[in-house]
Amino acid sequence: MAAVWQQVLAVDARYNAYRTPTFPQFRTQYIRRRSQLLRENAKAGHPPALRRQYLRLRGQLLGQRYGPLSEPGSARAYSNSIVRSSRTTLDRMEDFEDDPRALGARGHRRSVSRGSYQLQAQMNRAVYEDRPPGSVVPTSAAEASRAMAGDTSLSENYAFAGMYHVFDQHVDEAVPRVRFANDDRHRLACCSLDGSISLCQLVPAPPTVLRMLRGHTRGVSDFAWSLSNDILVSTSLDATMRIWASEDGRCIREIPDPDSAELLCCTFQPVNNNLTVVGNAKHNVHVMNISTGKKVKGGSSKLTGRVLALSFDAPGRLLWAGDDRGSVFSFLFDMATGKLTKAKRLVVHEGSPVTSISARSWVSREARDPSLLINACLNKLLLYRVVDNEGTLQLKRSFPIEQSSHPVRSIFCPLMSFRQGACVVTGSEDMCVHFFDVERAAKAAVNKLQGHSAPVLDVSFNCDESLLASSDASGMVIVWRREQK
């Protein structure tokens, strides 16, 4: 359970939209100061009963002052603008709980085996099954790895609580995507439905917005850093993608969508950053050459609905795409030509938009299976096992969250293999950030961060997991700092 001071902060954050509606900067300053004062007060050692009484009275007073809480209009408008509402009842899904234990790995694109998924999974399972029940690491060498990580438990390692900084440059417009730069601790970017992208620097203090990238005429739906962080690619509802130089913020190239449709998502090919894959509102996936600004021959395919999510495996040979009708397609990617070959289709749930796909090739001595993390407007976060080299998926387990309409995203934690357990993080419509241990059969929740006043849409770790950024549907971006022990 979250600390009482954090629950108080969450109550304040949810009522924050009612304070000085014409001065959003004041609201940001208020929540920053409240966070600071509550953390200082928590060190005073007041009795738990007194803190809980304060929490209850605080909630009652705010309710009397501002009335009942209601969902922000901008948040609902955003969810409807990106994700089409589900056409069917959201039935409960049954998990394949044959083996709830899942093992983590330190995922890094340059060190992943390029062998068959099926062969690798079989080899890893064979090693794993030789271990005693409940064992996590299949080799003695992993003990040294665990020592490198500080030998902390998963709950201790992901005890994020304190707000490091709150960014409000996109206030009152949803921020659908926030991302730390690759292998970077202090560089952060976020895109907004106000049509801009902001580049932020967290060190030296105080954190600052370095520059604003402007040029899109409608909301920016997604963006991605290149491997070397020298460029960013962005997609927009104005039916264009833009290539930006991160050093000075200039737009290098504007590329119209081949179908003149709203662009909803994008991702770099992880090995060849000259190629970018985009998904649009006319159900198409296109491989684009950002140097020429042209579509790659044979690099297009049609899905059953609006393309909302894309993810490559680490070697860049498999691509998954999710649409707003509940389907996830896998494609074989030709590394030489950029050609896409449709391989498999999974219907996660008919009519439930797939809003996020995150791939992790857990190929290491501490791991078994390549996996996929999926959000699909089912009030669940879904974890799938990749069972062969065509991207076939098998549901491994799920975790309870609140998501029925907003385009919520989730991620694997970057450092996973050195500790017992493996952690995933997701946004949620309950205005919280949730941490789950994919290995625990019961009580998988590891942590919950409260402080947003609107549905949390995206989350991103820096490279060493010392900071976590989260963005919401009201435009607030919170950078959380790991709790100091």
Side-chain angles (χ1 to χ4, degrees):
M1 185 177 179
V4 174
W5 74 263
Q6 195 180 351
Q7 296 177 55
V8 174
L9 180 63
V11 172
D12 282 330
R14 294 181 184 187
Y15 281 98
N16 205 32
Y18 296 93
R19 298 184 179 95
T20 59
T22 57
F23 296 99
Q25 288 76 17
F26 172 83
R27 299 200 301 267
T28 303
Q29 292 296 330
Y30 174 84
I31 208 67
R32 286 174 182 166
R33 182 58 177 159
R34 281 291 288 166
S35 175
Q36 179 185 3
L37 291 174
L38 286 168
R39 285 202 307 273
E40 293 174 355
N41 185 266
K43 299 175 183 177
H46 296 300
L50 185 62
R51 295 183 181 184
R52 288 192 293 271
Q53 183 181 15
Y54 175 78
L55 172 62
R56 183 170 59 256
L57 292 174
R58 180 73 174 172
Q60 292 173 354
L61 289 173
L62 288 172
Q64 292 174 7
R65 173 67 177 82
Y66 297 108
L69 289 168
S70 60
E71 182 180 25
S74 62
R76 174 59 62 186
Y78 172 61
S79 69
N80 292 334
S81 69
I82 300 293
V83 180
R84 184 164 54 202
S85 298
S86 172
R87 300 185 304 278
T88 61
T89 301
L90 301 180
D91 299 324
R92 291 182 58 84
M93 296 179 62
E94 297 298 327
D95 294 351
F96 291 103
E97 297 279 359
D98 57 326
D99 187 355
R101 295 185 301 272
L103 308 180
R106 183 187 178 91
H108 198 289
R109 59 177 61 83
R110 303 185 190 92
S111 60
V112 176
S113 166
R114 300 196 180 192
S116 160
Y117 274 91
Q118 190 173 21
L119 177 61
Q120 183 65 52
Q122 290 173 352
M123 292 172 61
N124 287 331
R125 273 195 293 270
V127 174
Y128 178 85
E129 287 163 1
D130 288 338
R131 301 289 295 173
S135 179
V136 180
V137 289
T139 69
S140 58
E143 295 300 328
S145 298
R146 188 178 295 173
M148 291 170 58
D151 201 25
T152 56
S153 70
L154 209 67
S155 296
E156 290 170 335
N157 187 64
Y158 295 113
F160 282 79
M163 287 184 183
Y164 179 73
H165 192 71
V166 178
F167 288 104
D168 63 350
Q169 64 270 19
H170 301 293
V171 70
D172 293 331
E173 290 285 357
V175 175
R177 180 66 101 171
V178 58
R179 286 184 169 184
F180 278 95
N182 295 306
D183 299 323
D184 197 293
R185 295 180 62 192
H186 302 125
R187 211 167 9 153
L188 180 72
C190 47
C191 67
S192 170
L193 289 193
D194 65 11
S196 67
I197 303 168
S198 54
L199 302 183
C200 309
Q201 187 75 29
L202 303 181
V203 171
T208 58
V209 178
L210 293 177
R211 57 189 57 89
M212 301 291 291
L213 311 184
R214 304 184 189 276
H216 285 295
T217 58
R218 293 183 63 194
V220 181
S221 55
D222 198 2
F223 77 95
W225 291 92
S226 66
L227 186 61
S228 57
N229 298 323
D230 56 337
I231 64 172
L232 294 91
V233 62
S234 62
T235 53
S236 171
L237 305 180
D238 66 8
T240 68
M241 62 182 294
R242 285 177 177 256
I243 315 301
W244 308 88
S246 61
E247 183 66 27
D248 55 14
R250 63 189 171 88
C251 180
I252 300 172
R253 175 173 282 111
E254 179 183 5
I255 304 173
D257 177 63
D259 306 313
S260 300
E262 294 178 341
L263 286 171
L264 305 177
C265 54
C266 63
T267 186
F268 275 107
Q269 208 285 339
V271 175
N272 180 5
N273 276 187
N274 198 44
L275 300 179
T276 301
V277 183
V278 297
N280 70 24
K282 289 189 177 179
H283 308 185
N284 289 321
V285 171
H286 296 298
V287 180
M288 306 295 296
N289 186 316
I290 63 174
S291 294
T292 64
K294 296 184 181 299
K295 179 174 64 173
V296 172
K297 184 177 181 180
S300 298
S301 188
K302 198 171 190 67
L303 276 62
T304 55
R306 292 153 44 99
V307 185
L308 302 179
L310 295 164
S311 183
F312 272 102
D313 68 346
R317 298 181 183 276
L318 268 176
L319 171 71
W320 288 273
D323 65 30
D324 70 343
R325 295 189 178 181
S327 293
V328 175
F329 291 82
S330 65
F331 298 89
L332 304 180
F333 187 89
D334 190 311
M335 303 289 286
T337 65
K339 180 181 178 181
L340 290 177
T341 302
K342 191 177 290 185
K344 300 290 182 179
R345 178 193 177 194
L346 168 74
V347 179
V348 176
H349 190 278
E350 184 65 36
S352 297
V354 175
T355 62
S356 175
I357 302 175
S358 182
R360 170 58 59 87
S361 297
W362 293 354
V363 183
S364 75
R365 61 177 178 260
E366 289 90 357
R368 292 187 298 153
D369 300 315
S371 299
L372 220 62
L373 197 60
I374 293 177
N375 293 81
C377 293
L378 285 166
N379 290 318
K380 292 184 179 184
L381 175 64
L382 307 173
L383 181 67
Y384 285 86
R385 175 183 295 123
V386 182
V387 299
D388 60 31
N389 55 8
E390 290 191 339
T392 303
L393 302 176
Q394 181 187 54
L395 184 63
K396 186 186 296 186
R397 66 176 305 182
S398 65
F399 308 94
I401 63 170
E402 290 188 23
Q403 186 197 4
S404 59
S405 61
H406 286 78
V408 171
R409 299 179 188 270
S410 58
I411 57 170
F412 291 96
C413 294
L415 305 178
M416 303 178 77
S417 64
F418 296 161
R419 296 176 179 86
Q420 183 163 342
C423 199
V424 295
V425 184
T426 181
S428 178
E429 292 177 6
D430 63 0
M431 305 181 242
C432 298
V433 177
H434 294 270
F435 294 68
F436 294 105
D437 183 351
V438 301
E439 184 181 301
R440 282 188 203 167
K443 298 182 179 179
V446 173
N447 195 3
K448 180 172 73 171
L449 304 182
Q450 304 176 81
H452 285 278
S453 58
V456 180
L457 303 180
D458 196 20
V459 288
S460 178
F461 269 112
N462 68 349
C463 64
D464 66 356
E465 296 184 352
S466 60
L467 297 173
L468 173 74
S470 56
S471 64
D472 67 30
S474 70
M476 181 178 290
V477 175
I478 299 178
V479 181
W480 307 86
R481 176 169 44 199
R482 183 185 297 165
E483 193 173 90
Q484 300 298 317
K485 297 296 182 181

